Amino acid sequence: MKITAIHEKTASIASPIANAYIDFSKMTCSVVAVVTDVIRDGKPVVGYGFNSNGRYGQGALMRDRFIDRVMEADPDTLVDEQNDNLDPFAIWDTLMKNEKPGGHGERSVAVGTIDMAVWDAVAKIAGVPLWRLLADRYRDGDADDSVWVYAAGGYYYPGKDHAKLQDEMKGYLDLGYEVVKMKIGGVPLADDLKRIEAVIDVVGDGKNLAVDANGRFDLDTTLAYGEAMKPYNLFWYEEAGDPLDYEIQARL
Amino acid sequence: MKITAIHEKTASIASPIANAYIDFSKMTCSVVAVVTDVIRDGKPVVGYGFNSNGRYGQGALMRDRFIDRVMEADPDTLVDEQNDNLDPFAIWDTLMKNEKPGGHGERSVAVGTIDMAVWDAVAKIAGVPLWRLLADRYRDGDADDSVWVYAAGGYYYPGKDHAKLQDEMKGYLDLGYEVVKMKIGGVPLADDLKRIEAVIDVVGDGKNLAVDANGRFDLDTTLAYGEAMKPYNLFWYEEAGDPLDYEIQARL
């Protein structure tokens, strides 16, 4: 059993939206296919992965370093004999060979996206959904019947007024979501408070609304927003300041 | 005044050396040239930069995202009118446009190497060494006459015994270095202690020797090495554990 190819394609996911920190006018995303020599239904099993928006596709890094490490490794070292499957942990170790510790930036996107595709292949080789495979292997078969989700939106974009923001949020409720998230920090505090109140009018209560500043705020702004939003009793207040600014995190 | 081109070339700096975490058998390094339209001695001023070993060259990232941002920006926004020079801070902001905060990995190499080349160009445009320019701009002209340096070596490589390690360190002393650094963590503690003692025999005193584990150790090993090395009174003990393992840093 072996991986016969790893393909990456960088897709544009450009859009006119913006959060408090970045716009998405040139955003890209990597789509990865891990091809195996295992045949199911007459075709090779292929695992797929993709990365989230915000940090761009990382195909160049995959081709520079990561794909070759897997393809040049002895295939026998990447096999999980016990389960007659690929070994995602051995593949992870191979991907991270000769990588300095710390400084996980683009690398975590490149490695994580390949890892996602590997796990997809592992589940397909086993012939079960990945949640079932994980529950069987690591949780004595115990799996949750449902998973909590929320709708992340409320970006800034040209011409988006309160009515359009409310329409967007109504759309999420119509799809069955109870909790929604919106971006803050792209306009002054007073304007953001009006946006927040407009969304609360739609979702009924602050506890159904999370906000995300995407790391934009300095300490004073972090705390000013926190104070101002306190009465709304929001679901959460996400990434107020730079994630590496420990003073902000601690004070918040 | 403007930047007319930014070139990157990825050079192999492969070697058989290893530290406790990685080997350098496929190591690369980026060399960057920032070309300007400023003419000195009949030729365009070109600033050069390069990155340190360990995190690989980042030409692919530069071409994916960073070089284009600078070349597509209005050149007038990148000029420091007051000094009739390029503005390295404006160029930095342009490089980091639409980059999420945190997660500085490969990106810091790509941006930092271009930034180094930009500062080299700025000094050449001003017609002074960079240390003089920085002292004049930010320290009222006050510059140090000398800078403390040490020789970083003592890697592991095949066939390297104590005699060869000592020869390497003698070579640094012959060059005028007083403090040297060696790698630890690539062999068991008892063997490393013998290597350390062999080097102290050459440099005369533990205070002339720094050691670097390159993030290899877990908490127990970190503390075991710390205890065992205490009698040597070494110059420093560098990067014992993973740089993001705050428990290790705090306990150490």
Side-chain angles (χ1 to χ4, degrees):
Chain A
M1 180 183 304
K2 67 177 180 185
I3 292 170
T4 57
I6 301 177
H7 303 294
E8 185 274 350
K9 195 142 187 167
T10 302
S12 170
I13 51 171
S15 78
I17 62 173
N19 64 36
Y21 215 103
I22 66 172
D23 74 52
F24 292 75
S25 59
K26 297 196 171 181
M27 191 51 62
T28 59
C29 154
S30 283
V31 184
V32 167
V34 169
V35 186
T36 74
D37 67 350
V38 178
I39 305 297
R40 291 281 181 275
D41 301 327
K43 290 188 295 189
V45 169
V46 182
Y48 296 100
F50 61 94
N51 68 292
S52 177
N53 70 350
R55 290 205 181 270
Y56 301 92
Q58 297 301 337
L61 272 201
M62 293 182 205
R63 279 179 282 278
D64 260 14
R65 306 212 294 275
F66 299 105
I67 291 175
D68 282 355
R69 287 189 192 140
V70 174
M71 298 312 295
E72 289 169 3
D74 177 354
D76 292 345
T77 65
L78 307 181
V79 168
D80 172 0
E81 300 280 357
Q82 194 191 330
N83 292 301
D84 192 25
N85 207 319
L86 295 172
D87 181 342
F89 301 101
I91 295 170
W92 178 278
D93 289 342
T94 301
L95 287 165
M96 289 297 286
K97 195 176 173 209
N98 289 328
E99 290 293 315
K100 286 190 77 158
H104 305 292
E106 281 74 10
R107 176 174 75 188
S108 60
V109 174
V111 173
T113 307
I114 296 172
D115 185 57
M116 182 193 289
V118 167
W119 278 103
D120 186 42
V122 166
K124 286 169 172 169
I125 289 169
V128 294
L130 182 54
W131 62 266
R132 168 50 56 203
L133 179 135
L134 294 172
D136 287 345
R137 284 196 189 177
Y138 307 111
R139 224 183 166 199
D140 295 326
D142 184 28
D144 296 323
D145 287 328
S146 62
V147 58
W148 183 83
V149 294
Y150 70 95
Y155 285 82
Y156 299 97
Y157 62 79
K160 187 171 186 177
D161 57 17
H162 288 184
K164 282 184 182 143
L165 181 60
Q166 290 179 315
D167 284 347
E168 178 192 350
M169 297 301 172
K170 276 178 204 150
Y172 297 140
L173 299 187
D174 290 345
L175 288 168
Y177 290 99
E178 287 177 7
V179 175
V180 300
K181 187 172 84 179
M182 65 185 285
K183 300 301 182 183
I184 59 170
V187 296
L189 172 56
D191 295 335
D192 264 340
L193 293 180
K194 286 184 197 134
R195 292 173 65 247
I196 289 170
E197 288 171 8
V199 173
I200 290 175
D201 279 348
V202 171
V203 297
D205 195 301
K207 73 176 164 45
N208 297 326
L209 173 62
V211 295
D212 183 359
N214 290 93
R216 172 85 286 174
F217 297 153
D218 60 16
L219 178 59
D220 289 344
T221 311
T222 292
L223 300 179
Y225 265 77
E227 277 302 325
M229 296 189 300
K230 202 184 270 183
Y232 302 130
N233 190 31
L234 299 177
F235 195 84
W236 73 51
Y237 174 19
E238 180 174 342
E239 215 176 10
D242 189 298
L244 299 176
D245 187 330
Y246 303 123
E247 171 73 7
I248 282 184
Q249 322 302 339
R251 292 284 297 279
L252 180 57
Chain B
M1 180 183 303
K2 66 178 181 185
I3 293 169
T4 57
I6 301 177
H7 303 293
E8 186 274 351
K9 197 144 185 162
T10 301
S12 170
I13 51 170
S15 79
I17 62 173
N19 64 36
Y21 216 103
I22 66 173
D23 74 51
F24 292 75
S25 59
K26 296 197 172 181
M27 190 52 62
T28 60
C29 154
S30 283
V31 184
V32 167
V34 169
V35 186
T36 74
D37 66 351
V38 178
I39 306 297
R40 291 280 181 274
D41 301 327
K43 289 187 296 189
V45 169
V46 182
Y48 296 100
F50 61 93
N51 68 293
S52 177
N53 70 350
R55 290 206 180 269
Y56 301 91
Q58 297 302 336
L61 271 200
M62 293 182 206
R63 279 179 282 279
D64 260 14
R65 306 213 293 275
F66 299 106
I67 291 174
D68 282 354
R69 287 189 192 141
V70 174
M71 299 312 295
E72 289 170 2
D74 176 354
D76 292 345
T77 65
L78 307 181
V79 168
D80 173 0
E81 300 280 359
Q82 194 191 331
N83 292 301
D84 192 25
N85 207 319
L86 295 172
D87 182 342
F89 301 100
I91 295 169
W92 178 278
D93 288 342
T94 301
L95 287 164
M96 288 297 285
K97 196 177 172 208
N98 289 328
E99 290 292 315
K100 286 189 78 159
H104 305 292
E106 281 74 10
R107 176 174 74 188
S108 60
V109 174
V111 172
T113 307
I114 295 172
D115 185 58
M116 182 193 287
V118 167
W119 278 104
D120 187 42
V122 166
K124 286 170 172 168
I125 289 169
V128 294
L130 181 54
W131 62 266
R132 168 52 54 203
L133 181 134
L134 294 173
D136 287 346
R137 285 195 189 177
Y138 306 111
R139 224 182 166 200
D140 295 327
D142 184 29
D144 296 324
D145 287 328
S146 63
V147 59
W148 183 84
V149 294
Y150 69 96
Y155 285 81
Y156 299 96
Y157 62 79
K160 186 171 187 177
D161 56 18
H162 288 184
K164 282 185 181 143
L165 180 60
Q166 290 179 316
D167 284 346
E168 178 191 351
M169 297 302 172
K170 277 177 203 152
Y172 298 140
L173 299 187
D174 290 344
L175 288 168
Y177 290 98
E178 287 176 8
V179 175
V180 301
K181 188 172 83 179
M182 65 186 284
K183 301 302 183 182
I184 57 169
V187 295
L189 172 56
D191 296 334
D192 264 340
L193 293 180
K194 286 181 198 137
R195 292 174 64 246
I196 289 169
E197 287 171 8
V199 173
I200 290 175
D201 280 348
V202 171
V203 297
D205 194 299
K207 72 174 164 46
N208 297 326
L209 174 61
V211 294
D212 183 359
N214 290 94
R216 172 83 286 173
F217 298 154
D218 61 16
L219 178 59
D220 289 345
T221 311
T222 293
L223 300 179
Y225 265 77
E227 277 301 325
M229 297 188 300
K230 203 184 269 183
Y232 303 129
N233 190 31
L234 299 177
F235 194 84
W236 73 51
Y237 175 17
E238 180 174 343
E239 215 176 11
D242 189 298
L244 299 175
D245 188 330
Y246 304 122
E247 171 74 7
I248 282 185
Q249 321 304 339
R251 293 284 298 280
L252 179 58

